Amino acid sequence: MSDAIESILQEDRKFVPPAEFTANALISSEEQYQQMWQLGKDDPEKFWGDLAKEELEWFQPFDSVMEGDMPDTKWFQGGKINASYQCLDQHLTTWRKNKAALIWEGEPGETRTLTYQELHREVCKFASVLDQLGVEKGDRVTIYMPMIPELAIAMLACARVGATHSIIFGGFSADAISDRNNDAQSKLVITADGGWRRGKEIALKSTVDESLEKSSSVEKVVVVRRTGGDIEMVPDRDYWWHDLMENASADREATPLDSEHPLFILYTSGSTGKPKGVLHTTAGYMLGTKMSSKWVFDYKDEDTYWCTADIGWVTGHSYIIYGPLANGVTSVMYEGAPNWPDEGRFWEVVEKYRVNIFYTAPTAIRAFIKWGDQWPQKYDLSSLRLLGSVGEPINPEAWMWYHKLIGGERCPIVDTWWQTETGGIMISPLPGVTPAKPGSCTKPLPGVVPAIVNEEGKELEANQGGLLVMTQPWPHMLRTLYGDHERFIETYFSKFDGKYYFAGDGARKDEDGYYWIMGRVDDVLNVSGHRLSTMEIESALVSHDLVAEAAVVGYPHDLKGEGICCFVIPKGDIPIDEVKNTLIKHVRHQIGAIATPDQIRFTPALPKTRSGKIMRRLLKDIAAGRENNQDTSTLEDQSILEKLRQEG
Ligand code: WT7
């Protein structure tokens, strides 16, 4: 068996950026990109050092750009800086002070706009509240909130006083919160009574109460009144946000912090074991998110930009708050679900605010496809100029739908590859420069130097699938896994003896230097000695008219080593058995006999994490007929597994 993951996906379509887009783009030619990229590769100190001087506001300039090799590179040592200052104060001396920083839309339909000046005032006040509550520089603060403006205010206030925030997505359980509180030794929890999701109240405060039975480090809780639901307030522990804010001083300077001061911890699930507390620091992270969002989203001052992620995930941290606000952009924040009160809600929001740049995830796009074209068609989407995708590979068919139905065939699509650990976008088209190929995240951003290598760390030739690594450090990379530096080194750096950062993804690079992500390496199949990408088989299935969504996993197979099991969500009601054969033939036709599915199983839904990622390891157990003994705490809907088992 060869080391290479065989690529079986044929995709030859190419979409060149519209001339008008290119003419107005910040990076507007291949030469300009090449020059920047080459400098970032050959002289990262000069490349990142110049940008840090030009683009960030320093209380005290740094002495050195980078010190030390991976895994422990230190950036901008000697400098003093503050992330909330980058996002807010610096705009107040410009015309932007009265520009909308955040446009918020609640699920029930209320709206609130905060200008940079107003947001600054709220953040200063809440920073004063944190002072009063005894939160000090270096303390950890847990934030467990719905998507409301107070969430943004809380995180920026933490940054202002130098407290490290640990945001936990509002869908997590009490146990998940106490695990994270304990791991981070959080002193304070900021939450709300509840939040709205599909018209129902999601209780948050009562979940926090339960978590606190097992989190002894937490001393106090601040509660925002959002839904007005009934909650218990524990005297001398729980405080209402509005009470604390009433007399808080709006005069609260940003604390000058070291470049490497920890800005936030964000927990992300590993394939095994307890969640990993990814730690990001201040200066490098701010530079990375500022530059990547400026290059990739090509912000114009008049733009309205909407990233639909939840701030509980890294996408929301980097591309709703830190990146856009550092650039002085207007960022839309929406509280609720895409299908409430109906499946047109996102498009209604686009029409209402005349959104120009829209950034979402393939899992959402596949849901829109399933809900039908009539929803986007009902709304005026002509304000859109640029579309983005993040989170998993976007199947070419989903890309085409996004391009046609949402982008009106006029908007470039930026398929952005990155991770919680990378802090910001790493591989992505530049919308005015890079011709897109559906399904490829295209080329590395300036300052990012990836490679595709085999298990021995040897670089592979074009079109050979292998392991995706980063060969150079970058300013916004994670610094450690909180409290477990050994696990950090083991997880990301041990595979290639500390030389490369290993992302855990399989990928190939084509003859034009375009990267094609093939999914996590744990998802790679080995069929008769051929390593196949589950994602490519999924794309083939989804390209059939009768398929809405598909997940492919391997299972032990006597002859082939691994057999191919496909879980398929059909579009509408269809006679099952005939269709199975049709789909098997379709995959054979699309990819070849090597990828012939051994099993097709129809299902109304797939097991997903709350962030929308298919949990393939659970499907693997079902395909193999094994009992599940894995951690299912991040599974969104527990009943799905039972249904899938019965189908089998
Ligand atoms: C993993 C990281 C980055 C924010 C959201 C997810 C997959 C992410 C893409 C893309 C193909 C992608 C990778 C990566 N992924 N973006 N554009 N194309 N795959 O963050 O939870 O840390 O997950 O998501 O497998 O390793 P995350």
Side-chain angles (χ1 to χ4, degrees):
M1 192 196 107
S2 90
D3 238 3
I5 304 169
E6 283 174 44
S7 175
I8 43 186
L9 182 79
Q10 263 296 320
E11 179 55 60
D12 300 321
R13 288 170 289 199
K14 211 170 182 173
F15 295 82
V16 177
E20 201 196 322
F21 197 103
T22 303
N24 295 308
L26 177 72
I27 303 180
S28 56
S29 72
E30 178 64 23
E31 296 72 55
Q32 193 187 349
Y33 161 68
Q34 279 301 338
Q35 244 177 25
M36 290 169 78
W37 190 80
Q38 205 59 46
L39 180 63
K41 177 169 189 275
D42 298 341
D43 194 351
E45 296 222 22
K46 174 157 178 55
F47 178 75
W48 289 114
D50 285 354
L51 287 174
K53 274 184 218 142
E54 282 158 27
E55 300 275 350
L56 298 179
E57 303 285 325
W58 297 90
F59 300 123
Q60 182 179 303
F62 51 89
D63 306 319
S64 67
V65 176
M66 53 199 285
E67 277 174 29
D69 286 331
M70 285 198 286
D72 293 310
T73 315
K74 302 256 184 296
W75 291 82
F76 311 116
Q77 291 284 72
K80 296 271 186 202
I81 190 161
N82 185 292
S84 102
Y85 191 95
Q86 306 303 310
C87 292
L88 303 168
D89 306 54
Q90 65 149 323
H91 304 305
L92 302 187
T93 51
T94 73
W95 67 269
R96 287 194 190 89
K97 78 175 183 188
N98 289 320
K99 175 178 175 172
L102 290 177
I103 297 179
W104 173 78
E105 165 128 341
E107 193 187 76
E110 67 274 60
T111 67
R112 185 174 169 197
T113 299
L114 286 150
T115 64
Y116 275 93
Q117 187 165 241
E118 288 165 336
L119 183 59
H120 174 262
R121 189 180 156 76
E122 295 297 307
V123 168
C124 287
K125 284 177 72 178
F126 197 67
S128 300
V129 167
L130 292 174
D131 291 339
Q132 265 174 42
L133 293 175
V135 173
E136 286 170 13
K137 181 168 111 177
D139 285 344
R140 274 80 54 213
V141 171
T142 294
I143 301 181
Y144 182 69
M145 286 171 92
M147 283 282 285
I148 54 177
E150 288 81 358
L151 166 54
I153 295 165
M155 66 197 285
L156 289 165
C158 285
R160 197 164 189 86
V161 307
T164 303
H165 58 70
S166 161
I167 304 185
I168 303 176
F169 175 62
F172 278 111
S173 65
D175 280 349
I177 303 171
S178 54
D179 284 350
R180 288 159 175 73
N181 282 341
N182 290 332
D183 191 73
Q185 288 292 297
S186 288
K187 201 164 164 183
L188 176 75
V189 176
I190 307 169
T191 188
D193 47 2
W196 294 112
R197 190 82 186 169
R198 296 194 180 89
K200 284 209 199 79
E201 186 185 345
I202 307 286
L204 296 174
K205 173 61 167 60
S206 58
T207 310
V208 168
D209 288 342
E210 198 187 325
S211 78
L212 292 193
E213 288 164 21
K214 290 194 238 158
S215 351
S216 54
S217 62
V218 175
E219 295 163 11
K220 296 190 168 100
V221 181
V222 177
V223 187
V224 177
R225 185 176 280 148
R226 167 67 187 130
T227 57
D230 237 358
I231 59 163
E232 240 177 89
M233 294 291 278
V234 177
D236 297 325
R237 188 195 73 182
D238 301 349
Y239 302 85
W240 284 110
W241 172 288
H242 54 263
D243 287 343
L244 295 170
M245 287 289 266
E246 207 172 60
N247 298 312
S249 163
D251 208 2
R252 198 336 176 156
E253 294 293 325
T255 303
L257 301 168
D258 290 340
S259 292
E260 289 288 356
H261 186 80
L263 177 61
F264 66 84
I265 301 168
L266 184 55
Y267 287 88
T268 178
S269 53
S271 46
T272 52
K274 68 179 185 111
K276 302 182 285 192
V278 169
L279 182 90
H280 283 287
T281 58
T282 305
Y285 174 81
M286 286 311 299
L287 185 63
T289 51
K290 181 172 187 192
M291 297 324 299
S292 56
S293 48
K294 190 167 172 162
W295 294 330
V296 172
F297 299 120
D298 195 54
Y299 295 136
K300 303 289 175 251
D301 248 323
E302 57 279 14
D303 276 338
T304 302
Y305 158 85
W306 182 22
C307 164
T308 69
D310 192 287
I311 292 177
W313 312 117
V314 73
T315 308
H317 283 60
S318 300
Y319 297 110
I320 298 178
I321 302 298
Y322 290 114
L325 299 187
N327 282 298
V329 162
T330 298
S331 183
V332 174
M333 182 174 170
Y334 168 61
E335 179 185 29
N339 54 348
W340 187 266
D342 62 35
E343 283 75 6
R345 184 61 181 271
F346 272 18
W347 318 123
E348 187 196 321
V349 170
V350 169
E351 179 180 287
K352 181 170 171 190
Y353 299 108
R354 309 297 295 147
V355 170
N356 306 101
I357 306 171
F358 178 76
Y359 189 33
T360 198
T363 177
I365 296 170
R366 288 191 300 264
F368 300 141
I369 297 174
K370 196 163 86 186
W371 294 334
D373 298 355
Q374 70 279 14
W375 293 108
Q377 278 165 348
K378 263 175 65 175
Y379 295 92
D380 177 6
L381 306 181
S382 63
S383 59
L384 290 171
R385 190 165 66 78
L386 174 62
L387 304 176
S389 167
V390 61
E392 51 179 321
I394 175 167
N395 316 116
E397 290 320 307
W399 196 101
M400 289 307 299
W401 184 90
Y402 199 27
H403 172 70
K404 286 194 184 133
L405 270 287
I406 308 305
E409 298 186 37
R410 91 192 155 265
C411 304
I413 296 179
V414 286
D415 174 358
T416 62
W417 179 89
W418 58 295
Q419 309 176 292
T420 305
E421 293 87 342
T422 68
I425 298 169
M426 301 291 277
I427 309 181
S428 166
L430 293 172
V433 175
T434 323
K437 300 184 189 181
S440 167
C441 53
T442 77
K443 297 195 195 182
L445 292 187
V448 174
V449 189
I452 306 290
V453 299
N454 67 10
E455 293 281 340
E456 281 78 55
K458 188 176 153 288
E459 202 159 332
L460 296 173
E461 281 166 31
N463 285 318
Q464 285 200 306
L467 308 175
L468 177 62
V469 297
M470 300 297 145
T471 64
Q472 276 185 198
W474 63 101
H476 38 307
M477 69 189 287
L478 81 164
R479 297 302 193 264
T480 191
L481 293 176
Y482 193 77
D484 199 347
H485 200 63
E486 253 167 59
R487 187 177 181 200
F488 160 75
I489 299 199
E490 167 65 28
T491 310
Y492 307 105
F493 297 95
S494 64
K495 200 165 180 74
F496 302 106
D497 300 326
K499 206 169 122 201
Y500 298 144
Y501 166 85
F502 173 46
D505 282 353
R508 76 182 158 98
K509 189 159 81 162
D510 73 13
E511 57 287 351
D512 297 327
Y514 279 46
Y515 285 81
W516 297 77
I517 305 294
M518 299 160 97
R520 306 290 301 168
V521 285
D522 353 356
D523 295 339
V524 170
L525 305 180
N526 188 333
V527 181
S528 309
H530 299 275
R531 292 171 73 186
L532 303 178
S533 148
T534 52
M535 179 256 154
E536 293 185 329
I537 303 171
E538 285 160 12
S539 285
L541 286 162
V542 175
S543 73
H544 196 283
D545 272 351
L546 296 172
V547 176
E549 186 161 9
V552 170
V553 295
Y555 67 99
H557 188 284
D558 285 350
L559 292 176
K560 301 172 162 189
E562 264 188 308
I564 300 175
C565 178
C566 311
F567 293 87
V568 172
I569 306 183
K571 277 189 198 154
D573 291 331
I574 44 177
I576 296 298
D577 281 323
E578 266 166 60
V579 177
K580 280 191 182 169
N581 287 330
T582 311
L583 292 183
I584 291 173
K585 278 200 203 120
H586 178 71
V587 174
R588 278 180 75 110
H589 181 73
Q590 288 271 302
I591 305 179
I594 178 68
T596 307
D598 298 284
Q599 296 183 36
I600 302 256
R601 297 194 186 192
F602 289 103
T603 169
L606 291 166
K608 288 190 180 171
T609 62
R610 293 182 177 89
S611 63
K613 278 204 170 57
I614 297 168
M615 295 181 79
R616 288 194 180 71
R617 59 192 166 89
L618 301 179
L619 292 174
K620 273 188 200 163
D621 281 347
I622 292 169
R626 280 192 297 263
E627 271 304 298
N628 163 57
N629 49 14
Q630 307 198 49
D631 173 25
T632 56
S633 63
T634 54
L635 184 64
E636 192 185 21
D637 176 357
Q638 300 281 346
S639 70
I640 286 175
L641 286 185
E642 214 25 64
K643 280 184 212 138
L644 282 166
R645 278 208 193 84
Q646 285 160 5
E647 296 282 321

